[in-house]
Amino acid sequence: MIRVAVADDHPVVRDGLRALFASLPGIDLVAEAATGREAIRAAVTAQPHVLVMDLRMPDLDGVAATTEISRIAPAVAVLVLSMFEDDDSVFAAMRAGARGYLIKGASQEEISHAITTVAAGGAVFGPGVARRMLSYFAAPPPPTGQPFPELTPREREVLDLIAAGLPNATIAARLGLAGKTVGNHISTIFAKLQVATRAEAIVRARDAGLGRG
């Protein structure tokens, strides 16, 4: 039996997944969560093989919850099931440690196949997400000499605006992103640059010529 947990703040989604798993042989729903922190607790206490994770949840979003689960319960395979298929959401989830990414509206067969695949150690992406992944990796590398080549173009944009002294809310509005998405980018930037504070990141960025536009 594949032990599965579900983390989604919408009761209708949890009800639908519960009914789906009840109809599938070989899958046992062992826990449900409505928040990111509950998802982490379920991963530790219920020890599912797969945790189906929404990205937008109260108290802790799915990316942050996935990061923590990857750290403290690495045997749990996180499968994202989200309404969002933008590059920022997809790559933030992948960097956090998710092993699969499906869009809500995926068929029962797609969800069942994805759970079986990630439980066996594989990775799976919905068709739209897979196209984005292929496009991303097919893109030419950044020009040589560009500061912080370890950052993605979007992360470099965010860092440039941080270095210009803009707060997160303004950065989100400027780039058309959710505030939580900006926060996720900033966490990733800090990790890649190995800095602990915003002030350190600003110093590094300004020394490299960012934030002066």
Side-chain angles (χ1 to χ4, degrees):
M1 294 288 285
I2 298 175
R3 295 164 55 83
V4 177
V6 172
D8 197 296
D9 63 331
H10 293 95
V12 172
V13 174
R14 296 200 305 275
D15 290 347
L17 291 173
R18 189 186 309 119
L20 169 61
F21 298 149
S23 71
L24 296 175
I27 292 182
D28 183 21
L29 181 62
V30 296
E32 296 183 29
T35 72
R37 297 195 188 284
E38 287 179 8
I40 296 170
R41 188 158 50 247
V44 173
T45 59
Q47 298 184 341
H49 297 107
V50 179
L51 195 153
V52 180
M53 178 82 76
D54 188 21
L55 289 185
R56 301 292 187 264
M57 287 187 295
D59 81 22
L60 196 68
D61 66 37
V63 170
T66 298
T67 299
E68 184 65 8
I69 290 168
S70 297
R71 186 181 71 83
I72 65 174
V76 178
V78 174
L79 171 65
V80 171
L81 183 63
S82 174
M83 293 174 55
F84 302 94
E85 58 178 332
D86 59 284
D87 289 352
D88 292 328
S89 297
V90 172
F91 294 122
M94 293 301 100
R95 285 192 294 268
R99 298 188 201 171
Y101 199 113
L102 295 179
I103 302 304
K104 287 181 178 177
S107 69
Q108 294 184 358
E109 291 77 13
E110 287 176 314
I111 295 173
S112 176
H113 170 71
I115 287 173
T116 303
T117 299
V118 299
V124 64
F125 305 97
V129 174
R131 284 192 294 272
R132 288 180 177 276
M133 297 284 285
L134 290 171
S135 297
Y136 175 81
F137 288 112
T144 57
Q146 195 170 47
F148 309 117
E150 67 270 31
L151 301 183
T152 66
R154 177 64 88 187
E155 289 165 356
R156 200 174 292 106
E157 281 185 292
V158 172
L159 180 59
D160 184 48
L161 295 176
I162 291 174
L166 300 184
N168 288 13
T170 304
I171 294 172
R174 180 81 61 89
L175 299 179
L177 301 176
K180 288 184 177 180
T181 301
V182 171
N184 292 334
H185 280 313
I186 291 173
S187 296
T188 302
I189 290 166
F190 283 13
K192 288 183 177 181
L193 299 187
Q194 298 184 345
V195 299
T197 67
R198 197 181 188 96
E200 287 181 81
I202 289 173
V203 170
R204 289 280 309 277
R206 289 183 175 173
D207 285 346
L210 299 181
R212 304 179 189 276

